[in-house]
Amino acid sequence: MKNKHKTLVFTIALALCLPAGAACQGMPVYDNTNFVSLVKSLVESAKQTANLVKTVNFLKAQKESIEKVNSVVQDLKAVREIGRNNQRLIAVMQDDLRDILNSPYIKPEEVSRVTESFSAVVENSLENARFIDEILSSDHLKMSDAERAEVLKQKELESKEMVTDVRLKTKRYREIISFREMQDKINNRETGF
């Protein structure tokens, strides 16, 4: 009886020490619906992650395309400006140079110097045009878009300098002609004395 009494006391003490939920819980039950919903949510998360990766890759490709288009637009602006500068040179050569060379105040020995001076600028302009064509149409130079844009920008600055140079030369020759014309008028004036 002592044994039974000890067992009963031990069982009651054990029952009092256990938490209330553990005493009522019983056998654990496997819930299939929770597992299925967990798997579904994991699959959905994987799909969303894959879509995000695709979106990021698409945005990177679009960014690269925009940068290429931006580079091409800058190249086109530089080429257009170089073309305008070459047209200005041609206009100066057609109009102003003809007037300078036809002036009676330009000496015959100066005609060749004036012509050579302007011809050097035109030759430089044509060489730049050939080089730009080579840059834009040839792959053997193996230039990146940034390098190509930098070269075109430099050539654009050079063409602006050529236009400025031609304008200064034209102005200088016109001043020489004006001075000689005034000098001729002074030397050949009639005096009323």
Side-chain angles (χ1 to χ4, degrees), residues 70-85 128 131-132 135-136 143-162:
N70 188 26
S71 174
V72 168
V73 168
Q74 289 176 351
D75 290 353
L76 289 175
K77 286 181 180 178
V79 169
R80 188 178 326 130
E81 188 60 32
I82 291 169
R84 286 183 189 144
N85 290 337
N128 279 345
F131 183 71
I132 290 167
I135 286 175
L136 294 175
M143 298 175 87
S144 69
D145 289 338
E147 292 169 333
R148 186 175 288 119
E150 183 64 32
V151 168
L152 288 174
K153 195 67 173 166
Q154 180 64 33
K155 292 298 179 183
E156 178 185 354
L157 292 175
E158 287 176 17
S159 72
K160 285 180 182 178
E161 289 172 4
M162 280 190 285

Side-chain angles (χ1 to χ4, degrees), residues 28-80:
V29 178
Y30 175 73
D31 188 7
N32 194 17
T33 57
N34 284 341
F35 180 73
V36 169
S37 66
L38 175 66
V39 169
K40 284 182 181 178
S41 66
L42 287 175
V43 168
E44 189 62 34
S45 293
K47 285 180 184 178
Q48 289 175 353
T49 302
N51 287 338
L52 285 174
V53 168
K54 286 179 184 177
T55 303
V56 167
N57 290 337
F58 175 76
L59 291 175
K60 282 182 183 178
Q62 292 305 312
K63 179 184 174 198
E64 290 172 3
S65 296
I66 288 171
E67 287 173 352
K68 286 180 183 177
V69 167
N70 188 26
S71 174
V72 168
V73 168
Q74 289 176 351
D75 290 353
L76 289 175
K77 286 181 180 178
V79 169
R80 188 178 326 130

Side-chain angles (χ1 to χ4, degrees), residues 60-191:
K60 282 182 183 178
Q62 292 305 312
K63 179 184 174 198
E64 290 172 3
S65 296
I66 288 171
E67 287 173 352
K68 286 180 183 177
V69 167
N70 188 26
S71 174
V72 168
V73 168
Q74 289 176 351
D75 290 353
L76 289 175
K77 286 181 180 178
V79 169
R80 188 178 326 130
E81 188 60 32
I82 291 169
R84 286 183 189 144
N85 290 337
N86 285 342
Q87 287 175 344
R88 290 180 190 120
L89 286 174
I90 291 169
V92 167
M93 297 297 285
Q94 287 176 341
D95 301 331
D96 296 338
L97 183 60
R98 185 180 319 124
D99 292 344
I100 291 170
L101 293 176
N102 289 335
S103 171
Y105 298 104
I106 294 292
K107 299 173 185 166
E109 61 272 6
E110 292 176 325
V111 170
S112 62
R113 277 187 285 168
V114 171
T115 305
E116 287 173 9
S117 173
F118 282 97
S119 293
V121 173
V122 169
E123 187 59 39
N124 192 10
S125 174
L126 292 174
E127 188 61 36
N128 279 345
R130 281 187 225 112
F131 183 71
I132 290 167
D133 184 48
E134 177 104 3
I135 286 175
L136 294 175
S137 64
S138 177
D139 282 342
H140 74 274
L141 292 177
K142 301 292 183 206
M143 298 175 87
S144 69
D145 289 338
E147 292 169 333
R148 186 175 288 119
E150 183 64 32
V151 168
L152 288 174
K153 195 67 173 166
Q154 180 64 33
K155 292 298 179 183
E156 178 185 354
L157 292 175
E158 287 176 17
S159 72
K160 285 180 182 178
E161 289 172 4
M162 280 190 285
V163 169
T164 303
D165 186 39
V166 166
R167 286 185 176 154
L168 288 174
K169 286 180 182 186
T170 303
K171 181 180 176 187
R172 188 178 77 217
Y173 286 121
R174 288 193 183 278
E175 288 172 353
I176 289 171
I177 290 170
S178 177
F179 175 76
R180 288 179 182 170
E181 184 179 8
M182 183 181 65
Q183 191 177 28
D184 184 47
K185 286 180 181 177
I186 290 172
N187 289 340
N188 294 322
R189 72 173 185 250
E190 293 182 14
T191 58

